[in-house]
Amino acid sequence: MYKVIVTDPISESGLKALTEHDAFQVEQRVGLEPEVLAEVIGDYDALIVRSQTQVTRDIIQAADRLKVIARAGVGVDNIDIDAATEKGIIVINAPAGNTIAATEHTLAMMLALARNIPQAYGSLTSGKWERKRFKGVELYQKTLGVVGMGRIGTEVAKRAKGFQMNILGYDPFLTEDRAKKLGIIKASLDDIAAQADFITVHTPLTPETRGLINAEYFEKTKKGVRFINCARGGIIDEQALVDAVNSGQVAGAAIDVFEHEPPETPGLTQNPRIIVTPHLGASTTEAQEKVAESVSEEIRDILTSGSVQHA
Ligand code: NAD
Ligand code: MLT
């Protein structure tokens, strides 16, 4: 019998490949303290997490029976990959299951930012009627800079074209040919700073992308630019963003992901020009089912026959 522990909220129906298989026993133990997880992890063959559980070296070192750590989502930055590799544990993710959910959340955030929807809702529900205060801007014929043209960046660019935005894409792997096929312009980060009215980031969080958008970058942008981050906290330096919004260089921002979750940077979540959601990019019924299905099927295949798809 293979034992699987699930430590973050995951779609139950998506886990069928394991829960309906005789060889697997699945235990949902959401919200365990790190010390408790380190104490119990030695009993399990597979661990399934989303982004809340921090799979640290201490936890991995105690995981003597563990063969797979599965991230039901894209980013594996909450897992100590080096420690897992040293211990011979396979780390897998579900790279495509939440692409559409994160894409649609990005578009929702861009529209909400452009039209001050969260602020207007807050005002009206607190009994006020303030039509002048919430005048917005249009997306039509504006320039959108997409930093990171992978799965989500590409889907965002395709949909933004539907609003008749001009799209500049920056990604080290974006070719002229691919940009042409997508109907966008291949650009540098500096081109995006000089031309974009909206800038959305869709890279992973790596040593290279941490603080990619920082105080120096804000100085190069057009005054009044708006930023969206539905990728990873830390790609945009939070303190520098708050300063740039407060100085008026940046007109506003829509942020779903934070350097620390829940967020800690002063002035970020209480700022009338910064709209925020609590890491909801992948939170749709459909996406949660797809990522749970993807990792459960892969865990089943790895443990029963040794085959690996998304390591
Ligand atoms: P992906 O791997 O398909 O695309 C990432 C792209 O970033 C790649 O094309 C890569 O070449 C590019 N990139 C890497 N370094 C770069 C750099 N320095 N400058 C520019 N581009 C760079 O990943 P994806 O599925 O599109 O996910 C994108 C991000 O969204 C990830 O950080 C992922 O964790 C995050 N995400 C967040 C949510 C959420 O809930 N908010 C949901 C899904 C994904
Ligand atoms: C991801 O990287 O897939 C997201 O952070 C989604 C999640 O919250 O699990």
Side-chain angles (χ1 to χ4, degrees):
M1 179 70 85
Y2 297 112
K3 286 184 75 179
V4 181
I5 182 168
V6 181
T7 58
D8 288 326
I10 305 283
S11 154
E12 271 198 55
S13 58
L15 293 172
K16 273 195 297 211
L18 301 175
T19 50
E20 295 182 358
H21 195 301
D22 290 344
F24 290 89
Q25 179 186 325
V26 179
E27 289 176 29
Q28 305 243 21
R29 300 184 66 178
V30 172
L32 287 184
E33 291 299 325
E35 312 76 56
V36 180
L37 180 56
E39 265 169 37
V40 301
I41 194 70
D43 292 340
Y44 296 93
D45 301 279
L47 165 65
I48 305 181
V49 299
R50 275 182 70 190
S51 54
Q52 292 94 317
T53 302
Q54 298 301 311
V55 191
T56 58
R57 180 170 283 274
D58 284 351
I59 290 168
I60 290 170
Q61 276 172 347
D64 288 335
R65 186 171 151 179
L66 206 65
K67 292 163 201 78
V68 192
I69 301 170
R71 167 72 165 89
V74 182
V76 286
D77 39 285
N78 55 325
I79 301 169
D80 190 327
I81 308 269
D82 291 340
T85 308
E86 283 163 29
K87 216 162 158 75
I89 299 170
I90 300 169
V91 178
I92 61 166
N93 69 350
N98 58 28
T99 301
I100 299 300
T103 298
E104 291 183 357
H105 196 69
T106 304
L107 270 294
M109 291 290 264
M110 183 159 63
L111 285 163
L113 177 64
R115 301 303 293 270
N116 302 305
I117 290 172
Q119 297 92 326
Y121 172 82
S123 159
L124 184 51
T125 53
S126 71
K128 297 182 193 145
W129 183 257
E130 301 181 292
R131 295 187 65 216
K132 258 194 199 153
R133 189 172 154 207
F134 298 117
K135 187 166 74 181
V137 293
E138 296 179 3
L139 303 188
Y140 177 65
Q141 291 192 341
K142 295 289 179 354
T143 297
L144 171 66
V146 183
V147 178
M149 283 290 300
R151 290 179 188 84
I152 298 166
T154 299
E155 293 304 318
V156 167
K158 285 184 193 166
R159 284 156 180 76
K161 280 183 65 67
F163 288 108
Q164 300 184 36
M165 299 185 85
N166 309 309
I167 319 289
L168 304 179
Y170 168 67
D171 190 304
F173 294 101
L174 179 67
T175 62
E176 289 284 358
D177 192 41
R178 173 94 180 122
K180 211 168 154 194
K181 280 193 185 127
L182 289 167
I184 70 163
I185 296 166
K186 176 174 149 66
S188 67
L189 264 185
D190 281 353
D191 295 334
I192 288 178
Q195 297 173 46
D197 304 293
F198 292 83
I199 300 177
T200 183
V201 295
H202 299 286
T203 69
L205 181 66
T206 63
E208 291 73 41
T209 62
R210 186 178 289 279
L212 187 67
I213 308 295
N214 53 25
E216 205 185 315
Y217 191 76
F218 290 127
E219 276 174 25
K220 297 190 227 169
T221 57
K222 274 170 73 171
K223 190 169 165 64
V225 63
R226 290 174 170 80
F227 278 87
I228 303 115
N229 185 1
C230 291
R232 275 291 174 276
I235 299 169
I236 299 180
D237 182 298
E238 287 179 354
Q239 190 55 58
L241 175 67
V242 170
D243 294 344
V245 168
N246 289 342
S247 76
Q249 175 64 11
V250 170
I255 308 291
D256 181 51
V257 285
F258 302 88
E259 287 170 12
H260 298 279
E261 296 187 354
E264 292 173 0
T265 300
L268 187 67
T269 54
Q270 305 296 322
N271 195 311
R273 287 192 290 273
I274 302 179
I275 64 170
V276 287
T277 46
H279 201 145
L280 294 182
S283 292
T284 63
T285 309
E286 297 87 343
Q288 286 314 305
E289 204 146 303
K290 280 185 271 181
V291 294
E293 260 170 35
S294 163
V295 294
S296 327
E297 287 167 10
E298 206 166 346
I299 288 173
R300 178 199 61 202
D301 295 348
I302 291 170
L303 292 179
T304 58
S305 65
S307 91
V308 183
Q309 286 171 40
H310 297 128

Short mmCIF file of all heavy atoms in Angstrom, two decimals, residues 140-188:
data_model
loop_
_atom_site.label_atom_id
_atom_site.label_comp_id
_atom_site.label_asym_id
_atom_site.label_seq_id
_atom_site.Cartn_x
_atom_site.Cartn_y
_atom_site.Cartn_z
N TYR A 140 -8.51 49.78 -25.02
CA TYR A 140 -8.51 49.93 -26.48
C TYR A 140 -7.34 50.79 -26.95
O TYR A 140 -7.14 51.92 -26.46
CB TYR A 140 -9.85 50.56 -26.88
CG TYR A 140 -10.01 50.87 -28.34
CD1 TYR A 140 -10.03 49.85 -29.28
CD2 TYR A 140 -10.16 52.19 -28.76
CE1 TYR A 140 -10.20 50.14 -30.63
CE2 TYR A 140 -10.34 52.49 -30.11
CZ TYR A 140 -10.34 51.46 -31.04
OH TYR A 140 -10.50 51.75 -32.37
N GLN A 141 -6.55 50.22 -27.88
CA GLN A 141 -5.39 50.89 -28.49
C GLN A 141 -4.28 51.26 -27.50
O GLN A 141 -3.39 52.04 -27.84
CB GLN A 141 -5.84 52.10 -29.30
CG GLN A 141 -6.60 51.64 -30.54
CD GLN A 141 -6.84 52.72 -31.56
OE1 GLN A 141 -6.77 53.90 -31.26
NE2 GLN A 141 -7.14 52.32 -32.78
N LYS A 142 -4.34 50.71 -26.30
CA LYS A 142 -3.23 50.91 -25.36
C LYS A 142 -2.18 49.83 -25.63
O LYS A 142 -2.47 48.81 -26.27
CB LYS A 142 -3.71 50.81 -23.92
CG LYS A 142 -4.70 51.90 -23.53
CD LYS A 142 -4.00 53.23 -23.43
CE LYS A 142 -4.89 54.41 -23.07
NZ LYS A 142 -6.28 54.25 -22.96
N THR A 143 -0.98 50.04 -25.11
CA THR A 143 0.09 49.06 -25.29
C THR A 143 0.27 48.25 -24.02
O THR A 143 0.37 48.81 -22.93
CB THR A 143 1.40 49.79 -25.67
OG1 THR A 143 1.18 50.43 -26.92
CG2 THR A 143 2.56 48.82 -25.80
N LEU A 144 0.24 46.93 -24.21
CA LEU A 144 0.44 46.00 -23.09
C LEU A 144 1.80 45.34 -23.25
O LEU A 144 2.09 44.73 -24.28
CB LEU A 144 -0.66 44.92 -23.10
CG LEU A 144 -0.47 43.76 -22.11
CD1 LEU A 144 -0.57 44.24 -20.66
CD2 LEU A 144 -1.50 42.65 -22.36
N GLY A 145 2.64 45.43 -22.22
CA GLY A 145 3.92 44.71 -22.20
C GLY A 145 3.73 43.41 -21.45
O GLY A 145 3.26 43.42 -20.31
N VAL A 146 4.08 42.29 -22.08
CA VAL A 146 3.96 40.99 -21.42
C VAL A 146 5.38 40.48 -21.16
O VAL A 146 6.13 40.21 -22.10
CB VAL A 146 3.18 39.99 -22.29
CG1 VAL A 146 3.02 38.66 -21.55
CG2 VAL A 146 1.81 40.54 -22.68
N VAL A 147 5.73 40.38 -19.89
CA VAL A 147 7.08 39.92 -19.51
C VAL A 147 6.98 38.45 -19.17
O VAL A 147 6.38 38.09 -18.15
CB VAL A 147 7.61 40.75 -18.32
CG1 VAL A 147 9.00 40.25 -17.90
CG2 VAL A 147 7.64 42.23 -18.67
N GLY A 148 7.53 37.59 -20.04
CA GLY A 148 7.38 36.14 -19.86
C GLY A 148 6.28 35.66 -20.80
O GLY A 148 5.10 35.80 -20.50
N MET A 149 6.71 35.13 -21.95
CA MET A 149 5.72 34.69 -22.96
C MET A 149 5.65 33.17 -22.98
O MET A 149 5.78 32.55 -24.04
CB MET A 149 6.13 35.25 -24.34
CG MET A 149 5.79 36.72 -24.51
SD MET A 149 4.01 37.03 -24.62
CE MET A 149 3.57 36.07 -26.06
N GLY A 150 5.44 32.57 -21.80
CA GLY A 150 5.22 31.12 -21.72
C GLY A 150 3.74 30.83 -21.89
O GLY A 150 3.03 31.53 -22.62
N ARG A 151 3.27 29.82 -21.18
CA ARG A 151 1.86 29.40 -21.35
C ARG A 151 0.90 30.54 -21.03
O ARG A 151 0.03 30.88 -21.83
CB ARG A 151 1.55 28.22 -20.42
CG ARG A 151 2.21 26.93 -20.82
CD ARG A 151 1.86 25.83 -19.83
NE ARG A 151 2.66 24.66 -20.11
CZ ARG A 151 3.89 24.46 -19.65
NH1 ARG A 151 4.46 25.36 -18.87
NH2 ARG A 151 4.55 23.37 -19.97
N ILE A 152 1.04 31.12 -19.83
CA ILE A 152 0.06 32.13 -19.40
C ILE A 152 0.27 33.45 -20.15
O ILE A 152 -0.70 34.04 -20.65
CB ILE A 152 0.12 32.32 -17.86
CG1 ILE A 152 -0.27 30.99 -17.19
CG2 ILE A 152 -0.80 33.44 -17.41
CD1 ILE A 152 0.06 30.91 -15.70
N GLY A 153 1.52 33.89 -20.27
CA GLY A 153 1.80 35.14 -20.99
C GLY A 153 1.22 35.10 -22.41
O GLY A 153 0.62 36.07 -22.87
N THR A 154 1.38 33.96 -23.06
CA THR A 154 0.87 33.82 -24.44
C THR A 154 -0.65 33.91 -24.47
O THR A 154 -1.23 34.61 -25.31
CB THR A 154 1.34 32.46 -25.04
OG1 THR A 154 2.76 32.48 -25.06
CG2 THR A 154 0.79 32.24 -26.43
N GLU A 155 -1.31 33.23 -23.54
CA GLU A 155 -2.79 33.26 -23.52
C GLU A 155 -3.30 34.66 -23.16
O GLU A 155 -4.33 35.10 -23.67
CB GLU A 155 -3.34 32.20 -22.54
CG GLU A 155 -3.08 30.76 -22.96
CD GLU A 155 -3.63 30.41 -24.35
OE1 GLU A 155 -4.75 30.84 -24.67
OE2 GLU A 155 -2.92 29.74 -25.10
N VAL A 156 -2.57 35.35 -22.29
CA VAL A 156 -2.95 36.74 -21.94
C VAL A 156 -2.84 37.61 -23.19
O VAL A 156 -3.74 38.39 -23.51
CB VAL A 156 -2.07 37.28 -20.79
CG1 VAL A 156 -2.21 38.79 -20.64
CG2 VAL A 156 -2.40 36.58 -19.47
N ALA A 157 -1.72 37.46 -23.91
CA ALA A 157 -1.50 38.28 -25.11
C ALA A 157 -2.61 38.03 -26.13
O ALA A 157 -3.16 38.98 -26.70
CB ALA A 157 -0.14 37.95 -25.71
N LYS A 158 -2.98 36.76 -26.33
CA LYS A 158 -4.03 36.44 -27.31
C LYS A 158 -5.35 37.13 -26.95
O LYS A 158 -6.03 37.69 -27.79
CB LYS A 158 -4.29 34.93 -27.34
CG LYS A 158 -3.23 34.13 -28.05
CD LYS A 158 -3.71 32.69 -28.05
CE LYS A 158 -2.63 31.72 -28.43
NZ LYS A 158 -3.00 30.34 -28.11
N ARG A 159 -5.70 37.08 -25.66
CA ARG A 159 -6.98 37.67 -25.24
C ARG A 159 -6.93 39.20 -25.25
O ARG A 159 -7.92 39.86 -25.57
CB ARG A 159 -7.36 37.15 -23.84
CG ARG A 159 -7.90 35.73 -23.92
CD ARG A 159 -7.74 35.00 -22.61
NE ARG A 159 -8.24 33.65 -22.68
CZ ARG A 159 -7.61 32.63 -23.28
NH1 ARG A 159 -6.44 32.84 -23.86
NH2 ARG A 159 -8.15 31.43 -23.29
N ALA A 160 -5.76 39.76 -24.90
CA ALA A 160 -5.65 41.23 -24.90
C ALA A 160 -5.79 41.77 -26.32
O ALA A 160 -6.25 42.90 -26.53
CB ALA A 160 -4.32 41.65 -24.28
N LYS A 161 -5.40 40.97 -27.31
CA LYS A 161 -5.59 41.39 -28.70
C LYS A 161 -7.08 41.57 -29.01
O LYS A 161 -7.45 42.39 -29.83
CB LYS A 161 -4.97 40.38 -29.66
CG LYS A 161 -3.46 40.56 -29.77
CD LYS A 161 -2.84 39.60 -30.76
CE LYS A 161 -3.30 39.84 -32.18
NZ LYS A 161 -2.83 41.10 -32.75
N GLY A 162 -7.91 40.79 -28.32
CA GLY A 162 -9.37 40.93 -28.48
C GLY A 162 -9.87 42.30 -28.04
O GLY A 162 -10.90 42.76 -28.50
N PHE A 163 -9.11 42.95 -27.14
CA PHE A 163 -9.46 44.31 -26.72
C PHE A 163 -8.80 45.35 -27.63
O PHE A 163 -8.82 46.53 -27.33
CB PHE A 163 -9.01 44.56 -25.27
CG PHE A 163 -9.85 43.82 -24.26
CD1 PHE A 163 -9.35 42.73 -23.57
CD2 PHE A 163 -11.14 44.24 -23.99
CE1 PHE A 163 -10.13 42.05 -22.65
CE2 PHE A 163 -11.92 43.57 -23.06
CZ PHE A 163 -11.42 42.47 -22.39
N GLN A 164 -8.16 44.85 -28.68
CA GLN A 164 -7.43 45.69 -29.63
C GLN A 164 -6.32 46.49 -28.95
O GLN A 164 -6.12 47.67 -29.20
CB GLN A 164 -8.40 46.58 -30.41
CG GLN A 164 -9.38 45.70 -31.19
CD GLN A 164 -10.32 46.46 -32.07
OE1 GLN A 164 -9.96 47.47 -32.67
NE2 GLN A 164 -11.55 45.99 -32.17
N MET A 165 -5.61 45.79 -28.06
CA MET A 165 -4.40 46.37 -27.47
C MET A 165 -3.22 46.03 -28.39
O MET A 165 -3.25 45.02 -29.11
CB MET A 165 -4.14 45.79 -26.08
CG MET A 165 -5.25 46.06 -25.10
SD MET A 165 -4.85 45.47 -23.42
CE MET A 165 -3.95 46.88 -22.75
N ASN A 166 -2.17 46.86 -28.35
CA ASN A 166 -0.92 46.52 -29.04
C ASN A 166 -0.07 45.76 -28.03
O ASN A 166 0.09 46.22 -26.89
CB ASN A 166 -0.16 47.79 -29.44
CG ASN A 166 -1.06 48.74 -30.20
OD1 ASN A 166 -1.70 48.34 -31.15
ND2 ASN A 166 -1.13 49.99 -29.74
N ILE A 167 0.48 44.62 -28.44
CA ILE A 167 1.18 43.78 -27.47
C ILE A 167 2.68 43.76 -27.75
O ILE A 167 3.11 43.42 -28.87
CB ILE A 167 0.67 42.32 -27.50
CG1 ILE A 167 -0.85 42.24 -27.64
CG2 ILE A 167 1.19 41.55 -26.28
CD1 ILE A 167 -1.67 42.64 -26.47
N LEU A 168 3.47 44.04 -26.71
CA LEU A 168 4.92 43.85 -26.76
C LEU A 168 5.25 42.66 -25.87
O LEU A 168 4.83 42.62 -24.72
CB LEU A 168 5.65 45.08 -26.19
CG LEU A 168 5.35 46.44 -26.81
CD1 LEU A 168 6.14 47.52 -26.08
CD2 LEU A 168 5.71 46.43 -28.30
N GLY A 169 5.98 41.68 -26.39
CA GLY A 169 6.31 40.50 -25.59
C GLY A 169 7.80 40.42 -25.34
O GLY A 169 8.61 40.60 -26.27
N TYR A 170 8.18 40.17 -24.08
CA TYR A 170 9.60 39.97 -23.77
C TYR A 170 9.78 38.61 -23.13
O TYR A 170 9.12 38.27 -22.14
CB TYR A 170 10.10 41.06 -22.80
CG TYR A 170 11.45 40.71 -22.23
CD1 TYR A 170 12.57 40.68 -23.06
CD2 TYR A 170 11.61 40.37 -20.88
CE1 TYR A 170 13.81 40.32 -22.55
CE2 TYR A 170 12.84 40.02 -20.37
CZ TYR A 170 13.94 40.00 -21.22
OH TYR A 170 15.17 39.63 -20.71
N ASP A 171 10.65 37.81 -23.73
CA ASP A 171 10.99 36.48 -23.19
C ASP A 171 12.26 36.06 -23.91
O ASP A 171 12.33 36.16 -25.14
CB ASP A 171 9.85 35.49 -23.50
CG ASP A 171 10.00 34.16 -22.78
OD1 ASP A 171 11.06 33.50 -22.93
OD2 ASP A 171 9.05 33.77 -22.07
N PRO A 172 13.28 35.58 -23.16
CA PRO A 172 14.52 35.18 -23.84
C PRO A 172 14.28 34.11 -24.91
O PRO A 172 15.07 33.99 -25.85
CB PRO A 172 15.40 34.63 -22.72
CG PRO A 172 14.69 34.84 -21.45
CD PRO A 172 13.35 35.45 -21.70
N PHE A 173 13.17 33.35 -24.79
CA PHE A 173 12.94 32.28 -25.77
C PHE A 173 11.91 32.66 -26.85
O PHE A 173 11.52 31.82 -27.64
CB PHE A 173 12.49 31.00 -25.05
CG PHE A 173 13.58 30.43 -24.20
CD1 PHE A 173 13.58 30.64 -22.83
CD2 PHE A 173 14.64 29.74 -24.77
CE1 PHE A 173 14.60 30.16 -22.03
CE2 PHE A 173 15.68 29.25 -23.99
CZ PHE A 173 15.66 29.46 -22.62
N LEU A 174 11.48 33.92 -26.87
CA LEU A 174 10.50 34.33 -27.88
C LEU A 174 11.23 34.64 -29.19
O LEU A 174 12.10 35.52 -29.22
CB LEU A 174 9.72 35.57 -27.39
CG LEU A 174 8.68 36.12 -28.35
CD1 LEU A 174 7.51 35.15 -28.53
CD2 LEU A 174 8.14 37.47 -27.85
N THR A 175 10.87 33.93 -30.25
CA THR A 175 11.50 34.20 -31.55
C THR A 175 10.66 35.22 -32.33
O THR A 175 9.46 35.37 -32.07
CB THR A 175 11.59 32.90 -32.39
OG1 THR A 175 10.25 32.44 -32.62
CG2 THR A 175 12.40 31.82 -31.69
N GLU A 176 11.30 35.85 -33.32
CA GLU A 176 10.58 36.81 -34.18
C GLU A 176 9.42 36.10 -34.87
O GLU A 176 8.32 36.64 -34.99
CB GLU A 176 11.51 37.37 -35.27
CG GLU A 176 12.57 38.32 -34.76
CD GLU A 176 12.03 39.72 -34.42
OE1 GLU A 176 10.80 39.95 -34.62
OE2 GLU A 176 12.81 40.55 -33.93
N ASP A 177 9.70 34.85 -35.29
CA ASP A 177 8.71 34.09 -36.03
C ASP A 177 7.46 33.83 -35.18
O ASP A 177 6.33 34.04 -35.60
CB ASP A 177 9.38 32.77 -36.45
CG ASP A 177 8.53 32.04 -37.44
OD1 ASP A 177 7.99 32.72 -38.33
OD2 ASP A 177 8.39 30.80 -37.29
N ARG A 178 7.70 33.40 -33.92
CA ARG A 178 6.59 33.11 -32.99
C ARG A 178 5.81 34.39 -32.69
O ARG A 178 4.58 34.39 -32.66
CB ARG A 178 7.19 32.51 -31.71
CG ARG A 178 6.21 32.32 -30.60
CD ARG A 178 5.63 30.92 -30.60
NE ARG A 178 4.68 30.74 -29.50
CZ ARG A 178 3.42 30.40 -29.67
NH1 ARG A 178 2.94 30.15 -30.88
NH2 ARG A 178 2.62 30.26 -28.63
N ALA A 179 6.55 35.49 -32.49
CA ALA A 179 5.88 36.77 -32.20
C ALA A 179 4.98 37.15 -33.37
O ALA A 179 3.83 37.55 -33.18
CB ALA A 179 6.93 37.85 -31.95
N LYS A 180 5.50 36.96 -34.58
CA LYS A 180 4.74 37.30 -35.78
C LYS A 180 3.46 36.47 -35.85
O LYS A 180 2.38 36.99 -36.12
CB LYS A 180 5.61 37.04 -37.01
CG LYS A 180 5.31 37.97 -38.16
CD LYS A 180 6.37 37.85 -39.20
CE LYS A 180 5.75 38.26 -40.54
NZ LYS A 180 6.56 37.89 -41.65
N LYS A 181 3.62 35.16 -35.58
CA LYS A 181 2.44 34.28 -35.63
C LYS A 181 1.38 34.71 -34.62
O LYS A 181 0.19 34.56 -34.85
CB LYS A 181 2.86 32.84 -35.34
CG LYS A 181 3.45 32.17 -36.56
CD LYS A 181 3.57 30.68 -36.39
CE LYS A 181 4.27 30.09 -37.60
NZ LYS A 181 5.42 29.27 -37.27
N LEU A 182 1.83 35.21 -33.46
CA LEU A 182 0.88 35.62 -32.41
C LEU A 182 0.33 37.03 -32.67
O LEU A 182 -0.57 37.49 -31.97
CB LEU A 182 1.57 35.61 -31.04
CG LEU A 182 1.89 34.23 -30.45
CD1 LEU A 182 2.82 34.37 -29.25
CD2 LEU A 182 0.59 33.53 -30.01
N GLY A 183 0.93 37.72 -33.64
CA GLY A 183 0.48 39.09 -33.93
C GLY A 183 0.93 40.09 -32.88
O GLY A 183 0.25 41.08 -32.60
N ILE A 184 2.11 39.82 -32.30
CA ILE A 184 2.64 40.74 -31.28
C ILE A 184 4.05 41.19 -31.69
O ILE A 184 4.60 40.65 -32.66
CB ILE A 184 2.70 40.07 -29.88
CG1 ILE A 184 3.79 38.99 -29.83
CG2 ILE A 184 1.35 39.46 -29.50
CD1 ILE A 184 4.16 38.59 -28.43
N ILE A 185 4.62 42.13 -30.95
CA ILE A 185 5.97 42.61 -31.28
C ILE A 185 6.95 42.08 -30.24
O ILE A 185 6.72 42.21 -29.03
CB ILE A 185 5.99 44.15 -31.31
CG1 ILE A 185 5.08 44.62 -32.45
CG2 ILE A 185 7.41 44.69 -31.49
CD1 ILE A 185 4.74 46.09 -32.37
N LYS A 186 8.03 41.46 -30.71
CA LYS A 186 9.09 40.98 -29.80
C LYS A 186 9.84 42.22 -29.31
O LYS A 186 10.26 43.05 -30.12
CB LYS A 186 10.01 40.06 -30.58
CG LYS A 186 11.21 39.54 -29.83
CD LYS A 186 11.94 38.51 -30.70
CE LYS A 186 13.43 38.47 -30.46
NZ LYS A 186 13.84 38.01 -29.16
N ALA A 187 9.98 42.34 -27.99
CA ALA A 187 10.54 43.59 -27.45
C ALA A 187 11.53 43.27 -26.34
O ALA A 187 11.60 42.15 -25.83
CB ALA A 187 9.40 44.43 -26.88
N SER A 188 12.31 44.29 -25.96
CA SER A 188 13.19 44.16 -24.79
C SER A 188 12.44 44.73 -23.58
O SER A 188 11.43 45.42 -23.72
CB SER A 188 14.48 44.94 -25.01
OG SER A 188 14.17 46.32 -25.03
#
